[in-house]
C-alpha cells in the first residue's frame, strides 16, 4: 500500500511541470495582449494628447520634449514594448516577459487616468447637450422645455400643430422649423436616458477596477492577471463613456438639424434667422479649423451619416474632437486631409483654400 502511494506521488510530481506555463508561452500571450491595447490606445492618445511641460496645447507630431503628457506616456510604453519584442524574437523570453510586464503597468496607469477623463468629458457633454446651445436664438430649446412644450398633451400639439386648418385660407400658427422638436421629442429624451445609463455603467466599471487591489488579502500582491482585468475594465469604462458621448452628439443632431445649412451654399454662411422682434438676422460665415470657403465643392464632404466630425457644426466646436473619437477617427488627421486637403494640392488651389493657421490661433481645444 505504501509502495503504491509512493508511486502515485512520484507520478504527480513528474507531471507537475507539464501543467506549468512556460515563460515563452507567457511572453507570447502578453505580446499579443499588449499589442491589442496599444492599437486601441492610439486614436485615443492622438485625439487627447494633453498639454506639454509648459501647459500649452500640443501638435499631433510635436518634437521630442514638446509632446503632450499622454502622448509622452504612450510613446514610452511603445518603446518598452519594442524592447520586449527584441528580447522575445532573440529567444530571451525571461527578459522579454519582464519588459512586457513593465509595459502593462504603464498601460494600466494610462487607462486609469483616461477612463476618468472620458467620464468627466462625457458628463460635461451630456449636461451641455441638454441646455440651449445659443441663448440668443429664440428657437433654441433646452431638453426639459422640449419635453414640456412638445409632448402629446402639450398646448403646441393640441391647440397649434394638430389643429385642423383650411390652407391657404388659414395660416399656420407655428414656425415650421419648430415642428422638428415635436417629431424628435421621443428620440431626444431616449438619448438622454441612454446617455446617462451609459455614463453610470462607465463609472461602475471604473469603480470595480479600482476595487481590485482593495479586495486582495494582505499577503497578496497584484499579479499580471489582476492588471489585465483592471485594464479591461478601464477600457470598458472608456467605451461606455464614448457611448454616452455618442448620445450627447445625437441630441445635438436632433435639436439643431438646420445648423449645417452652410454646406449647401457657396458663401458658407449659416441660415438667416429671425430674432425675438421678428427682424431678419443674416447668417454668418462658418469657419472650420480657421478655414472658410465653399464647402459644397469640397470632394470630401458627405451629406449623410458619414459626414465627418469637423464639418458637423450641429455639434459645438469644443466637442468635435469627441465626435471624431467616438468613431475611432483622429480629428487632426481628418482635418488635414479633408479641410486643408494635405494630399490634394491641385484641388486646394482650385478652391482657394487658405493655409492652415498656426497652432494656437484657432479655438479647437486639445485637452
Amino acid at each position: 500500500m505504501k509502495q503504491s502511494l509512493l508511486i502515485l506521488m512520484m507520478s504527480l510530481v513528474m507531471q507537475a511541470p507539464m501543467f506549468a506555463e512556460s515563460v515563452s508561452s507567457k511572453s507570447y500571450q502578453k505580446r499579443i495582449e499588449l499589442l491589442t491595447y496599444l492599437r486601441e490606445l492610439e486614436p485615443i492618445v492622438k485625439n487627447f494628447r494633453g498639454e506639454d511641460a509648459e501647459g500649452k496645447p500640443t501638435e499631433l507630431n510635436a518634437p521630442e520634449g514638446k509632446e503632450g503628457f499622454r502622448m509622452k506616456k504612450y510613446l514610452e510604453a511603445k518603446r518598452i514594448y519594442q524592447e520586449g519584442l527584441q528580447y522575445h524574437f532573440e529567444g530571451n523570453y525571461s527578459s522579454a516577459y519582464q519588459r512586457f510586464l513593465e509595459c502593462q503597468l504603464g498601460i494600466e496607469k494610462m487607462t486609469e487616468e483616461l477612463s476618468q477623463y472620458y467620464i468627466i468629458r462625457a458628463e460635461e457633454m451630456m449636461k451641455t447637450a441638454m441646455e440651449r446651445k445659443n441663448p440668443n436664438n429664440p428657437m433654441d430649446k433646452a431638453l426639459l422645455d422640449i419635453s414640456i412644450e412638445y409632448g402629446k398633451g402639450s398646448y403646441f400639439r393640441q391647440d397649434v400643430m394638430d389643429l385642423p386648418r383650411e390652407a391657404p385660407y388659414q395660416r399656420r400658427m407655428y414656425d415650421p422649423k419648430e415642428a422638428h422638436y415635436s417629431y424628435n421629442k421621443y428620440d431626444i429624451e431616449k438619448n438622454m436616458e441612454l446617455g446617462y445609463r451609459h455614463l453610470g455603467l462607465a463609472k461602475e466599471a471604473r469603480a470595480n477596477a479600482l476595487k481590485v487591489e482593495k479586495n486582495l488579502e494582505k499577503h497578496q500582491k497584484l499579479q499580471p492577471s489582476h492588471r489585465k482585468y483592471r485594464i479591461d475594465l478601464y477600457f470598458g469604462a472608456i467605451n461606455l463613456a464614448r457611448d454616452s458621448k455618442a448620445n450627447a452628439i445625437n441630441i445635438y443632431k436632433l435639436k439643431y438639424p438646420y445648423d449645417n445649412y452652410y454646406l449647401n451654399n457657396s458663401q458658407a454662411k449659416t441660415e438667416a434667422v429671425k430674432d425675438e422682434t421678428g427682424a431678419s438676422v443674416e447668417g454668418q460665415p462658418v469657419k472650420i479649423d480657421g478655414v472658410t470657403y465653399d464647402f459644397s465643392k469640397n470632394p470630401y464632404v458627405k451629406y449623410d451619416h458619414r459626414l465627418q466630425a469637423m464639418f458637423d457644426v450641429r455639434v459645438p466646436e469644443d466637442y468635435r474632437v469627441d465626435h471624431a473619437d467616438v468613431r475611432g477617427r483622429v480629428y487632426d488627421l481628418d482635418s488635414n486631409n479633408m479641410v486643408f486637403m494635405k494630399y490634394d494640392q491641385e484641388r486646394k488651389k482650385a478652391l482657394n483654400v487658405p493655409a492652415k493657421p498656426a497652432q494656437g490661433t484657432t479655438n479647437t481645444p486639445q485637452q
Side-chain angles (χ1 to χ4, degrees):
M1 182 68 182
K2 290 182 179 180
Q3 188 176 5
S4 300
L5 200 58
L6 183 61
I7 293 172
L8 179 61
M9 290 175 64
M10 288 290 291
S11 63
L12 289 174
V13 170
M14 292 176 66
Q15 290 178 14
M18 295 174 60
F19 298 99
E21 188 177 10
S22 65
V23 179
S24 62
S25 177
K26 288 182 179 180
S27 176
Y28 173 79
Q29 291 179 10
K30 194 61 65 177
R31 174 172 74 92
I32 302 301
E33 173 192 318
L34 294 177
L35 182 61
T36 304
Y37 291 151
L38 290 170
R39 186 178 291 124
E40 192 168 352
L41 274 172
E42 183 186 17
I44 295 174
V45 175
K46 285 183 176 179
N47 279 319
F48 304 105
R49 301 178 289 276
E51 299 82 11
D52 62 12
E54 299 176 356
K56 297 179 180 178
T58 57
E59 297 181 1
L60 182 59
N61 298 312
E64 186 176 356
K66 295 291 185 179
E67 65 275 78
F69 67 90
R70 293 192 189 95
M71 180 61 76
K72 185 175 182 179
K73 291 178 182 178
Y74 178 70
L75 294 175
E76 178 65 13
K78 284 176 63 178
R79 184 189 65 79
I80 296 172
Y81 178 77
Q82 183 170 315
E83 288 182 5
L85 278 183
Q86 293 169 355
Y87 284 125
H88 180 84
F89 293 128
E90 285 177 2
N92 188 350
Y93 300 116
S94 179
S95 297
Y97 188 58
Q98 289 300 319
R99 286 292 187 274
F100 289 150
L101 291 183
E102 288 180 37
C103 181
Q104 184 187 40
L105 178 60
I107 290 175
E108 181 190 358
K109 292 179 179 179
M110 287 176 61
T111 50
E112 180 181 348
E113 188 270 333
L114 278 167
S115 61
Q116 178 68 2
Y117 176 74
Y118 265 66
I119 288 171
I120 293 172
R121 188 86 172 171
E123 191 164 18
E124 176 188 325
M125 288 180 67
M126 283 298 302
K127 287 180 179 178
T128 308
M130 291 171 62
E131 300 300 328
R132 299 171 66 185
K133 186 169 76 169
N134 183 5
N136 297 322
N137 183 1
M139 291 295 294
D140 198 345
K141 301 288 182 179
L143 192 148
L144 183 58
D145 293 333
I146 295 171
S147 297
I148 295 171
E149 297 175 20
Y150 298 97
K152 289 184 178 180
S154 66
Y155 166 79
F156 180 83
R157 288 291 297 270
Q158 288 186 337
D159 294 348
V160 180
M161 186 174 177
D162 294 340
L163 186 67
R165 69 185 180 91
E166 187 179 355
Y169 303 107
Q170 289 179 303
R171 69 180 182 86
R172 185 188 288 111
M173 299 299 293
Y174 61 92
D175 189 326
K177 289 182 180 177
E178 191 179 2
H180 76 277
Y181 288 128
S182 180
Y183 300 141
N184 295 336
K185 172 184 170 293
Y186 173 79
D187 290 332
I188 292 172
E189 292 173 336
K190 197 65 180 177
N191 272 283
M192 183 195 72
E193 175 190 339
L194 291 174
Y196 278 105
R197 185 182 300 172
H198 290 142
L199 188 60
L201 291 172
K203 291 179 179 180
E204 184 180 349
R206 188 173 189 278
N208 289 336
L210 294 171
K211 289 178 184 176
V212 171
E213 196 167 6
K214 295 179 181 178
N215 292 336
L216 296 178
E217 298 294 338
K218 291 184 178 180
H219 66 279
Q220 287 183 308
K221 293 183 179 180
L222 276 177
Q223 300 298 316
S225 58
H226 295 141
R227 297 194 186 281
K228 180 182 184 302
Y229 178 68
R230 291 180 78 172
I231 292 171
D232 290 340
L233 284 174
Y234 288 139
F235 271 119
I238 288 171
N239 288 323
L240 284 165
R242 274 176 163 171
D243 290 339
S244 181
K245 288 181 181 183
N247 291 123
I249 290 165
N250 287 340
I251 292 174
Y252 282 118
K253 291 180 177 181
L254 291 165
K255 284 175 67 178
Y256 309 110
Y258 305 109
D259 283 9
N260 281 347
Y261 171 80
Y262 80 101
L263 290 173
N264 299 303
N265 65 88
S266 59
Q267 294 179 323
K269 287 186 176 181
T270 57
E271 193 172 24
V273 295
K274 291 183 178 180
D275 60 17
E276 295 178 352
T277 65
S280 180
V281 179
E282 187 178 354
Q284 299 297 316
V286 173
K287 286 189 175 183
I288 304 297
D289 277 1
V291 174
T292 297
Y293 65 99
D294 185 354
F295 292 98
S296 65
K297 293 182 179 180
N298 189 321
Y300 298 110
V301 172
K302 305 292 182 183
Y303 299 103
D304 55 17
H305 65 281
R306 294 173 294 175
L307 183 67
Q308 292 294 333
M310 75 286 301
F311 298 118
D312 197 347
V313 300
R314 293 173 296 184
V315 180
E317 187 176 6
D318 288 352
Y319 303 132
R320 285 177 209 157
V321 61
D322 299 271
H323 190 356
D325 183 72
V326 163
R327 302 178 179 183
R329 306 287 303 181
V330 178
Y331 182 87
D332 289 82
L333 291 178
D334 283 349
S335 176
N336 274 331
N337 295 345
M338 299 181 186
V339 178
F340 297 98
M341 302 181 182
K342 184 176 180 180
Y343 302 109
D344 195 347
Q345 297 300 324
E346 293 302 320
R347 175 74 73 164
K348 185 175 178 179
K349 292 177 183 178
L351 295 178
N352 297 319
V353 180
K356 186 172 184 178
Q359 182 72 18
T361 59
T362 64
N363 294 326
T364 303
Q366 293 298 335
Q367 302 297 333

